[in-house]
């Protein structure tokens, strides 16, 4: 059960211009509400400024944290935009199409009214207004718009109440995790940066925690400890997990939700005598994503995907190409090009539920350096396995070197094909990945970490970034060139 994201309750308020029939707006609002059972329907129709506080008090008293302003007819520009200006949460504007009455007394002209509404939103510099891609429709279409608004609203509310807690600094020579934090404040996210020493002191203070034994038993069941040679490190991992969970509760401050961006190498395993990856995977499974290697914008991206998909996410390296013999077989099976494929990998942070053969293992890359000629000891603690076949969306929100936010989104799949490799890893198929890699990831200077949502959630992500006015790239089809793509090739 994921509890680290907000529950969205949407209210709908109809508006009516004084020289149009108010009954038309009310009837159309009720038709939408009948098709949207979770929607709170306010019976206060706003036609003048004095109606605004009464309508807002009504939806607030019913626990609404997201709002639909519905133009059942032309709508009054001032009151309808004041609703958004005075509502503390995301507001969607939608308008009624004609077709449910005659074109004399039953014509609402909301198609026209939404234009003036949009202009007024700009005049008032209203930041919390969301207009769907196709914002005018009949009751079924508007109900569908509201369904699609829910994950966007969940992310907006979540970000407003989010604190990212980091334990750093980032590893040496790891500029990919550089994080100009101004962009976080631009979207309302708080950041608390700490030292590894702070983390270690807190970890030591949990040494005699009475909860360790029960949490160790829970871990033993999850990894089938009787078959795992590394079960002896589970009490230390349980102690570490309790440290992070307690820190999150104690350091939320005025925020409601938390995500982590934690350093995990090179000194970590020497001091803690384990790798933290399995604990990171467990936290992510429960709705507290952990950005590896102190990747603050990776953690932010993971949390956004958690809100839009409603399911556990992960953070992976866009890591390596697929060998030709394997790529050719997959391309034939998947009816794609070999260049659409790549391997997404990280050391062992992905939730067990997303892995086909999850097993507690050791960090091969760190072992090469720190324990080259011995059995693994301090490098144990990763969660390894091939990622299950699934629809996926890879995406990232990032501040560039100048602190300006930009993003990318691309949909695809993890294919059902063995990787024959190590770590948390899968073979990804993203249409036109080769060009996307060159003209978005490289050309726009995105780092190697990508967040992964395990469904097609590109629509909600793109709309969310548009809500924040963040430039967003996507993978262009073969017939559509990027701005700087060589036209002579």
């Amino acid at each position: 059960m994921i509890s680290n994201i907000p529950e969205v309750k949407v209210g709908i308020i109809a508006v009516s211009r004084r020289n149009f029939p108010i009954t038309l707006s009310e009837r159309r609002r009720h038709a939408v509400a009948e098709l949207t059972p979770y929607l709170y329907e306010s019976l206060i129709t706003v036609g003048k400024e004095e109606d605004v506080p009464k309508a807002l008090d009504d939806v607030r008293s019913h626990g609404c944290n997201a709002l639909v302003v519905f133009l059942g007819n032309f709508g009054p520009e001032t009151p309808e935009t004041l609703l958004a200006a005075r509502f503390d949460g995301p507001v969607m504007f939608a308008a009624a199409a004609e077709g449910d009455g005659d074109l004399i007394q039953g014509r609402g002209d909301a198609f026209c009214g939404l234009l003036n509404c949009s202009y007024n939103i700009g005049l008032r510099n209203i930041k919390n207004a969301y207009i769907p891609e196709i914002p005018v429709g009949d009751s079924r279409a508007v109900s569908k718009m509201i369904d699609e608004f829910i994950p966007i609203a969940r992310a907006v509310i979540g970000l407003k109440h989010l604190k990212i807690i980091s334990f750093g600094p980032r590893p040496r020579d790891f500029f990919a995790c550089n994080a100009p934090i101004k962009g976080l404040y631009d979207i309302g996210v708080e950041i608390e940066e700490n030292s590894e020493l702070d983390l270690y002191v807190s970890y030591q203070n949990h040494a005699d925690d009475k909860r360790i034994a029960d949490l160790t038993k829970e871990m033993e069941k999850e990894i089938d400890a009787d078959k795992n040679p590394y079960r002896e490190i589970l009490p230390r991992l349980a102690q570490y997990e309790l440290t992070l969970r307690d820190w999150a509760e104690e350091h939320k401050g005025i925020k409601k939700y938390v995500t982590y961006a934690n350093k995990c190498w090179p000194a970590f395993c020497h001091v803690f005598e384990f790798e933290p990856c399995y604990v990171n995977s467990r936290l992510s499974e429960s709705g507290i994503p952990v950005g590896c290697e102190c990747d603050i914008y990776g953690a932010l991206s993971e949390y956004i995907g958690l809100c839009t998909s409603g399911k556990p996410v992960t953070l992976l390296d866009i890591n390596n190409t697929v060998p030709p013999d394997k790529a050719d077989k997959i391309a034939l099976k998947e009816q794609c090009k070999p260049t659409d494929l790549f391997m997404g990998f990280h050391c062992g942070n992905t939730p067990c539920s997303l892995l086909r053969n999850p097993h507690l293992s050791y960090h091969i890359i760190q072992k090469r350096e720190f324990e080259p000629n011995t059995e693994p000891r301090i490098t144990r603690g990763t969660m390894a396995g091939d990622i299950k076949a699934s629809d996926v969306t890879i995406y990232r929100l990032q501040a560039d070197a100048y602190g300006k936010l930009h993003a990318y989104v691309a949909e695809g799949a993890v294919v059902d094909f063995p990787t024959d490799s190590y770590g948390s890893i899968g073979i990804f198929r993203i249409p036109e990945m080769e060009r996307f890699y060159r003209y978005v990831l490289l050309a726009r200077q995105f780092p190697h970490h990508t967040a992964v949502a395990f469904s097609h959630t590109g629509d909600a992500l793109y709309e969310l970034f548009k809500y924040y006015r963040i430039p967003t790239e996507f993978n262009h089809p073969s017939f559509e060139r990027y701005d700087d793509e060589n036209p002579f090739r």
Side-chain angles (χ1 to χ4, degrees):
M1 177 69 178
I2 293 174
S3 59
N4 192 42
I5 57 176
E7 181 179 346
V8 179
K9 184 168 183 181
V10 185
I12 186 169
I13 297 174
V15 297
S16 176
R17 193 174 182 90
R18 64 182 180 275
N19 50 356
F20 280 78
I22 189 172
T23 53
L24 184 61
S25 202
E26 291 175 338
R27 187 180 76 241
R28 288 172 167 177
R29 177 201 66 210
H30 186 64
V32 172
E34 282 192 315
L35 294 168
T36 320
Y38 57 81
L39 187 67
Y40 172 68
E41 180 188 6
S42 175
L43 300 182
I44 300 172
T45 303
V46 171
K48 55 185 184 297
E49 290 181 47
E50 292 82 355
D51 297 328
V52 170
K54 291 183 287 185
L56 289 178
D57 285 346
D58 182 37
V59 293
R60 287 172 184 145
S61 68
H62 286 82
C64 297
N65 54 6
L67 180 64
V68 175
V69 175
F70 179 61
L71 280 68
N73 59 38
F74 192 99
E77 298 150 38
T78 296
E80 68 197 11
T81 49
L82 283 174
L83 285 169
R86 298 192 174 193
F87 185 76
D88 187 23
V91 179
M92 185 182 92
F93 284 84
E98 312 298 352
D100 56 350
D102 65 66
L103 291 180
I104 299 176
Q105 298 303 324
R107 198 186 78 190
D109 298 357
F111 190 70
C112 183
L114 189 59
L115 293 170
N116 283 11
C117 176
S118 173
Y119 183 64
N120 213 284
I121 287 170
L123 287 175
R124 295 179 184 277
N125 199 30
I126 294 172
K127 301 296 187 183
N128 64 335
Y130 170 72
I131 298 178
E133 193 79 2
I134 302 174
V136 182
D138 62 14
S139 57
R140 291 189 181 280
V142 174
S143 179
K144 186 172 186 292
M145 292 176 211
I146 298 170
D147 288 342
E148 293 170 348
F149 178 53
I150 294 290
I152 300 165
R154 187 186 300 120
V156 170
I157 297 164
L159 291 178
K160 180 179 179 181
H161 297 285
L162 177 67
K163 176 179 279 189
I164 300 175
I165 298 174
S166 75
F167 290 102
R170 60 174 173 76
R172 184 182 68 244
D173 295 330
F174 222 67
F175 295 101
C177 291
N178 178 51
I181 62 172
K182 175 64 166 63
L184 301 176
Y185 297 135
D186 288 344
I187 57 175
V189 174
E190 188 60 53
I191 175 75
E192 177 193 296
E193 297 182 276
N194 307 279
S195 161
E196 283 179 293
L197 288 174
D198 297 317
L199 179 59
Y200 186 60
V201 168
S202 183
Y203 172 75
Q204 288 181 311
N205 290 338
H206 282 75
D208 298 320
D209 195 307
K210 292 182 172 58
R211 297 169 294 172
I212 291 174
D214 287 341
L215 188 55
T216 298
K217 291 177 183 177
E218 180 183 314
M219 290 178 168
E220 285 177 341
K221 292 179 181 178
E222 186 172 51
I223 67 165
D224 194 2
D226 291 337
K227 299 178 182 178
N228 194 287
Y230 305 138
R231 62 181 297 175
E232 67 186 68
I233 68 167
L234 293 181
R236 297 206 298 278
L237 291 170
Q239 181 180 336
Y240 180 68
E241 180 174 327
L242 291 169
T243 300
L244 290 177
R245 290 190 181 278
D246 286 352
W247 190 286
E249 288 301 317
E250 293 163 7
H251 287 251
K252 281 181 180 177
I254 62 172
K255 297 292 189 176
K256 296 180 181 179
Y257 313 112
V258 170
T259 187
Y260 276 109
N262 294 349
K263 192 172 179 181
C264 44
W265 64 274
F268 187 98
C269 64
H270 295 280
V271 177
F272 288 84
E273 298 187 321
F274 59 81
E275 296 288 354
C277 310
Y278 174 47
V279 171
N280 293 351
S281 78
R282 284 177 50 84
L283 290 172
S284 294
E285 184 85 69
S286 69
I288 307 175
V290 180
C292 307
E293 298 159 313
C294 207
D295 182 359
I296 289 171
Y297 280 93
L300 174 65
S301 300
E302 285 186 279
Y303 186 77
I304 289 170
L306 178 71
C307 287
T308 56
S309 71
K311 299 190 292 187
V313 295
T314 194
L315 189 74
L316 299 176
D317 293 351
I318 297 176
N319 198 71
N320 58 280
T321 59
V322 180
D325 58 338
K326 192 184 292 283
D328 289 342
K329 292 176 183 176
I330 297 170
L332 184 63
K333 177 184 176 184
E334 296 288 323
Q335 296 185 322
C336 67
K337 296 184 291 188
T339 52
D340 291 342
L341 304 171
F342 74 94
M343 285 194 180
F345 155 87
H346 229 266
C347 315
N349 62 327
T350 300
C352 291
S353 66
L354 302 174
L355 301 176
R356 190 163 55 233
N357 52 338
H359 56 284
L360 193 65
S361 186
Y362 63 93
H363 198 307
I364 289 178
I365 297 172
Q366 301 288 14
K367 185 180 182 302
R368 287 179 194 147
E369 183 174 2
F370 302 135
E371 301 178 303
N373 301 312
T374 63
E375 287 296 309
R377 187 181 69 84
I378 63 173
T379 55
R380 296 174 296 177
T382 63
M383 178 46 58
D386 279 5
I387 298 172
K388 292 177 181 177
S390 172
D391 288 339
V392 294
T393 306
I394 63 170
Y395 63 98
R396 187 175 178 94
L397 176 59
Q398 177 72 22
D400 65 16
Y402 304 97
K404 185 177 180 181
L405 292 172
H406 62 152
Y408 68 78
V409 181
E411 292 183 341
V414 175
V415 303
D416 187 12
F417 206 92
T419 66
D420 304 314
S421 195
Y422 61 90
S424 299
I425 188 167
I427 300 175
F428 284 68
R429 171 179 54 77
I430 302 293
E432 296 296 320
M433 180 64 193
E434 185 175 55
R435 296 169 59 241
F436 180 68
Y437 176 82
R438 175 61 185 86
Y439 294 107
V440 173
L441 302 180
L442 289 177
R444 308 298 187 258
Q445 300 174 345
F446 283 100
H448 69 299
H449 283 174
T450 190
V452 183
F454 288 84
S455 61
H456 282 169
T457 187
D459 182 282
L461 287 166
Y462 193 89
E463 292 295 297
L464 174 68
F465 296 145
K466 188 165 65 176
Y467 174 92
Y468 286 110
R469 297 168 177 81
I470 296 170
T472 304
E473 300 281 354
F474 58 94
N475 51 325
H476 289 192
S478 58
F479 56 81
E480 182 181 329
R481 292 189 176 274
Y482 295 94
D483 290 342
D484 49 353
E485 189 170 2
N486 190 332
F488 299 100
R489 293 190 179 181

Short mmCIF file of all heavy atoms in Angstrom, two decimals, residues 270-305:
data_model
loop_
_atom_site.label_atom_id
_atom_site.label_comp_id
_atom_site.label_asym_id
_atom_site.label_seq_id
_atom_site.Cartn_x
_atom_site.Cartn_y
_atom_site.Cartn_z
N HIS A 270 32.60 0.67 3.34
CA HIS A 270 33.70 0.49 4.30
C HIS A 270 33.24 0.81 5.72
O HIS A 270 33.70 0.20 6.69
CB HIS A 270 34.87 1.41 3.94
CG HIS A 270 35.50 1.08 2.63
ND1 HIS A 270 36.42 0.06 2.48
CD2 HIS A 270 35.33 1.61 1.39
CE1 HIS A 270 36.80 -0.01 1.21
NE2 HIS A 270 36.15 0.93 0.53
N VAL A 271 32.32 1.77 5.85
CA VAL A 271 31.87 2.20 7.17
C VAL A 271 30.68 1.38 7.65
O VAL A 271 30.65 0.90 8.79
CB VAL A 271 31.51 3.70 7.13
CG1 VAL A 271 30.96 4.16 8.48
CG2 VAL A 271 32.74 4.53 6.76
N PHE A 272 29.68 1.20 6.77
CA PHE A 272 28.47 0.47 7.17
C PHE A 272 28.64 -1.05 7.01
O PHE A 272 27.88 -1.81 7.57
CB PHE A 272 27.28 0.93 6.33
CG PHE A 272 26.80 2.31 6.66
CD1 PHE A 272 27.39 3.43 6.11
CD2 PHE A 272 25.73 2.50 7.53
CE1 PHE A 272 26.93 4.71 6.40
CE2 PHE A 272 25.27 3.77 7.84
CZ PHE A 272 25.87 4.89 7.28
N GLU A 273 29.59 -1.47 6.19
CA GLU A 273 29.89 -2.88 5.93
C GLU A 273 28.76 -3.61 5.23
O GLU A 273 28.49 -4.78 5.48
CB GLU A 273 30.30 -3.60 7.23
CG GLU A 273 31.56 -3.02 7.86
CD GLU A 273 32.07 -3.82 9.04
OE1 GLU A 273 31.22 -4.31 9.82
OE2 GLU A 273 33.29 -3.98 9.16
N PHE A 274 28.09 -2.89 4.36
CA PHE A 274 27.11 -3.47 3.44
C PHE A 274 26.82 -2.42 2.38
O PHE A 274 27.20 -1.26 2.51
CB PHE A 274 25.82 -3.89 4.15
CG PHE A 274 25.11 -2.76 4.87
CD1 PHE A 274 24.28 -1.87 4.17
CD2 PHE A 274 25.26 -2.58 6.24
CE1 PHE A 274 23.62 -0.83 4.82
CE2 PHE A 274 24.59 -1.54 6.89
CZ PHE A 274 23.79 -0.67 6.19
N GLU A 275 26.15 -2.84 1.32
CA GLU A 275 25.65 -1.91 0.32
C GLU A 275 24.17 -1.64 0.62
O GLU A 275 23.44 -2.55 1.03
CB GLU A 275 25.80 -2.48 -1.10
CG GLU A 275 27.22 -2.71 -1.54
CD GLU A 275 27.98 -1.42 -1.83
OE1 GLU A 275 27.35 -0.34 -1.79
OE2 GLU A 275 29.19 -1.49 -2.09
N PRO A 276 23.68 -0.43 0.39
CA PRO A 276 22.32 -0.07 0.81
C PRO A 276 21.24 -0.39 -0.21
O PRO A 276 20.07 -0.07 0.01
CB PRO A 276 22.43 1.44 1.00
CG PRO A 276 23.42 1.87 -0.04
CD PRO A 276 24.42 0.75 -0.13
N CYS A 277 21.59 -1.02 -1.32
CA CYS A 277 20.66 -1.12 -2.45
C CYS A 277 19.36 -1.84 -2.11
O CYS A 277 18.28 -1.41 -2.54
CB CYS A 277 21.36 -1.81 -3.62
SG CYS A 277 22.97 -1.11 -4.05
N TYR A 278 19.46 -2.96 -1.37
CA TYR A 278 18.24 -3.71 -1.04
C TYR A 278 17.28 -2.86 -0.21
O TYR A 278 16.07 -2.86 -0.44
CB TYR A 278 18.61 -5.00 -0.30
CG TYR A 278 17.43 -5.78 0.22
CD1 TYR A 278 16.33 -6.04 -0.61
CD2 TYR A 278 17.40 -6.28 1.52
CE1 TYR A 278 15.24 -6.76 -0.13
CE2 TYR A 278 16.32 -7.00 2.00
CZ TYR A 278 15.24 -7.24 1.17
OH TYR A 278 14.15 -7.96 1.64
N VAL A 279 17.82 -2.10 0.73
CA VAL A 279 16.97 -1.22 1.53
C VAL A 279 16.35 -0.15 0.63
O VAL A 279 15.16 0.17 0.76
CB VAL A 279 17.77 -0.59 2.68
CG1 VAL A 279 16.94 0.49 3.37
CG2 VAL A 279 18.19 -1.65 3.68
N ASN A 280 17.14 0.39 -0.29
CA ASN A 280 16.59 1.38 -1.22
C ASN A 280 15.43 0.79 -2.01
O ASN A 280 14.42 1.46 -2.26
CB ASN A 280 17.68 1.85 -2.19
CG ASN A 280 18.77 2.66 -1.50
OD1 ASN A 280 18.66 3.00 -0.32
ND2 ASN A 280 19.84 2.94 -2.22
N SER A 281 15.57 -0.47 -2.41
CA SER A 281 14.51 -1.11 -3.20
C SER A 281 13.25 -1.28 -2.35
O SER A 281 12.13 -1.10 -2.84
CB SER A 281 14.98 -2.46 -3.74
OG SER A 281 14.95 -3.48 -2.75
N ARG A 282 13.42 -1.61 -1.08
CA ARG A 282 12.27 -1.79 -0.19
C ARG A 282 11.56 -0.46 0.06
O ARG A 282 10.32 -0.40 0.08
CB ARG A 282 12.72 -2.42 1.13
CG ARG A 282 13.01 -3.91 1.03
CD ARG A 282 13.52 -4.46 2.34
NE ARG A 282 12.67 -4.09 3.48
CZ ARG A 282 11.57 -4.74 3.85
NH1 ARG A 282 11.17 -5.80 3.16
NH2 ARG A 282 10.88 -4.34 4.90
N LEU A 283 12.34 0.59 0.25
CA LEU A 283 11.73 1.90 0.45
C LEU A 283 10.95 2.32 -0.79
O LEU A 283 9.83 2.83 -0.70
CB LEU A 283 12.79 2.93 0.79
CG LEU A 283 13.45 2.79 2.18
CD1 LEU A 283 14.62 3.75 2.31
CD2 LEU A 283 12.44 3.04 3.29
N SER A 284 11.54 2.10 -1.96
CA SER A 284 10.85 2.45 -3.21
C SER A 284 9.56 1.66 -3.37
O SER A 284 8.55 2.19 -3.82
CB SER A 284 11.78 2.22 -4.40
OG SER A 284 12.88 3.10 -4.37
N GLU A 285 9.61 0.39 -3.00
CA GLU A 285 8.40 -0.45 -3.06
C GLU A 285 7.28 0.12 -2.21
O GLU A 285 6.10 0.07 -2.58
CB GLU A 285 8.75 -1.86 -2.58
CG GLU A 285 7.63 -2.87 -2.69
CD GLU A 285 7.54 -3.50 -4.06
OE1 GLU A 285 8.44 -4.27 -4.44
OE2 GLU A 285 6.54 -3.21 -4.77
N SER A 286 7.64 0.70 -1.07
CA SER A 286 6.62 1.21 -0.15
C SER A 286 6.21 2.65 -0.45
O SER A 286 5.38 3.21 0.26
CB SER A 286 7.15 1.12 1.29
OG SER A 286 8.21 2.05 1.51
N GLY A 287 6.81 3.25 -1.49
CA GLY A 287 6.40 4.59 -1.88
C GLY A 287 7.34 5.69 -1.45
O GLY A 287 6.99 6.87 -1.50
N ILE A 288 8.55 5.32 -1.02
CA ILE A 288 9.58 6.32 -0.69
C ILE A 288 10.75 6.09 -1.63
O ILE A 288 11.70 5.38 -1.30
CB ILE A 288 10.04 6.23 0.78
CG1 ILE A 288 8.85 6.28 1.72
CG2 ILE A 288 11.04 7.35 1.10
CD1 ILE A 288 9.22 6.07 3.19
N PRO A 289 10.71 6.67 -2.85
CA PRO A 289 11.79 6.42 -3.80
C PRO A 289 13.12 6.95 -3.27
O PRO A 289 13.17 7.96 -2.54
CB PRO A 289 11.36 7.19 -5.05
CG PRO A 289 9.90 7.41 -4.90
CD PRO A 289 9.66 7.52 -3.42
N VAL A 290 14.19 6.27 -3.64
CA VAL A 290 15.54 6.68 -3.24
C VAL A 290 16.37 6.92 -4.50
O VAL A 290 16.56 6.00 -5.30
CB VAL A 290 16.21 5.62 -2.35
CG1 VAL A 290 17.62 6.09 -1.95
CG2 VAL A 290 15.37 5.33 -1.12
N GLY A 291 16.83 8.14 -4.67
CA GLY A 291 17.72 8.46 -5.78
C GLY A 291 19.14 8.03 -5.44
O GLY A 291 19.72 8.50 -4.46
N CYS A 292 19.69 7.11 -6.21
CA CYS A 292 21.03 6.60 -5.95
C CYS A 292 22.08 7.69 -6.18
O CYS A 292 21.87 8.63 -6.93
CB CYS A 292 21.33 5.42 -6.88
SG CYS A 292 20.08 4.12 -6.85
N GLU A 293 23.19 7.55 -5.51
CA GLU A 293 24.37 8.38 -5.76
C GLU A 293 24.09 9.87 -5.55
O GLU A 293 24.60 10.72 -6.25
CB GLU A 293 24.93 8.10 -7.16
CG GLU A 293 25.37 6.66 -7.30
CD GLU A 293 25.46 6.18 -8.74
OE1 GLU A 293 24.50 6.43 -9.51
OE2 GLU A 293 26.46 5.56 -9.09
N CYS A 294 23.21 10.13 -4.57
CA CYS A 294 22.86 11.51 -4.21
C CYS A 294 22.24 12.27 -5.39
O CYS A 294 22.43 13.47 -5.53
CB CYS A 294 24.10 12.25 -3.69
SG CYS A 294 23.72 13.59 -2.56
N ASP A 295 21.48 11.55 -6.21
CA ASP A 295 20.85 12.15 -7.39
C ASP A 295 19.53 12.80 -6.98
O ASP A 295 18.48 12.15 -6.95
CB ASP A 295 20.64 11.08 -8.46
CG ASP A 295 20.03 11.64 -9.74
OD1 ASP A 295 19.76 12.87 -9.79
OD2 ASP A 295 19.84 10.87 -10.68
N ILE A 296 19.58 14.08 -6.68
CA ILE A 296 18.41 14.80 -6.17
C ILE A 296 17.32 14.89 -7.22
O ILE A 296 16.14 14.64 -6.94
CB ILE A 296 18.83 16.19 -5.66
CG1 ILE A 296 19.65 16.04 -4.37
CG2 ILE A 296 17.62 17.08 -5.43
CD1 ILE A 296 20.30 17.32 -3.89
N TYR A 297 17.68 15.21 -8.46
CA TYR A 297 16.66 15.30 -9.50
C TYR A 297 16.19 13.92 -9.96
O TYR A 297 15.08 13.78 -10.47
CB TYR A 297 17.16 16.14 -10.68
CG TYR A 297 17.04 17.63 -10.38
CD1 TYR A 297 18.10 18.34 -9.85
CD2 TYR A 297 15.84 18.30 -10.59
CE1 TYR A 297 17.98 19.68 -9.54
CE2 TYR A 297 15.72 19.65 -10.29
CZ TYR A 297 16.79 20.34 -9.76
OH TYR A 297 16.66 21.66 -9.45
N GLY A 298 17.01 12.90 -9.73
CA GLY A 298 16.54 11.54 -9.96
C GLY A 298 15.47 11.16 -8.97
O GLY A 298 14.44 10.57 -9.33
N ALA A 299 15.69 11.51 -7.70
CA ALA A 299 14.68 11.25 -6.66
C ALA A 299 13.40 12.03 -6.95
O ALA A 299 12.29 11.50 -6.80
CB ALA A 299 15.24 11.63 -5.29
N LEU A 300 13.55 13.29 -7.35
CA LEU A 300 12.38 14.10 -7.71
C LEU A 300 11.61 13.44 -8.86
O LEU A 300 10.37 13.33 -8.81
CB LEU A 300 12.83 15.49 -8.11
CG LEU A 300 11.75 16.44 -8.64
CD1 LEU A 300 10.73 16.76 -7.56
CD2 LEU A 300 12.37 17.72 -9.17
N SER A 301 12.32 12.99 -9.88
CA SER A 301 11.68 12.36 -11.03
C SER A 301 10.96 11.08 -10.62
O SER A 301 9.82 10.82 -11.05
CB SER A 301 12.72 12.07 -12.12
OG SER A 301 13.33 13.26 -12.55
N GLU A 302 11.61 10.28 -9.80
CA GLU A 302 10.96 9.06 -9.32
C GLU A 302 9.65 9.38 -8.61
O GLU A 302 8.63 8.70 -8.82
CB GLU A 302 11.89 8.31 -8.36
CG GLU A 302 13.03 7.58 -9.00
CD GLU A 302 13.79 6.76 -7.98
OE1 GLU A 302 14.62 7.34 -7.26
OE2 GLU A 302 13.54 5.54 -7.88
N TYR A 303 9.67 10.38 -7.76
CA TYR A 303 8.46 10.71 -7.01
C TYR A 303 7.34 11.16 -7.95
O TYR A 303 6.17 10.80 -7.76
CB TYR A 303 8.73 11.81 -5.97
CG TYR A 303 7.54 12.05 -5.09
CD1 TYR A 303 7.22 11.18 -4.05
CD2 TYR A 303 6.69 13.13 -5.31
CE1 TYR A 303 6.09 11.38 -3.27
CE2 TYR A 303 5.56 13.34 -4.53
CZ TYR A 303 5.27 12.46 -3.52
OH TYR A 303 4.15 12.64 -2.74
N ILE A 304 7.69 11.91 -8.96
CA ILE A 304 6.69 12.33 -9.94
C ILE A 304 6.07 11.12 -10.62
O ILE A 304 4.85 11.03 -10.80
CB ILE A 304 7.34 13.27 -10.98
CG1 ILE A 304 7.66 14.63 -10.33
CG2 ILE A 304 6.44 13.45 -12.19
CD1 ILE A 304 8.52 15.53 -11.20
N GLY A 305 6.89 10.15 -11.02
CA GLY A 305 6.37 8.94 -11.65
C GLY A 305 5.52 8.12 -10.71
O GLY A 305 4.53 7.48 -11.13
#
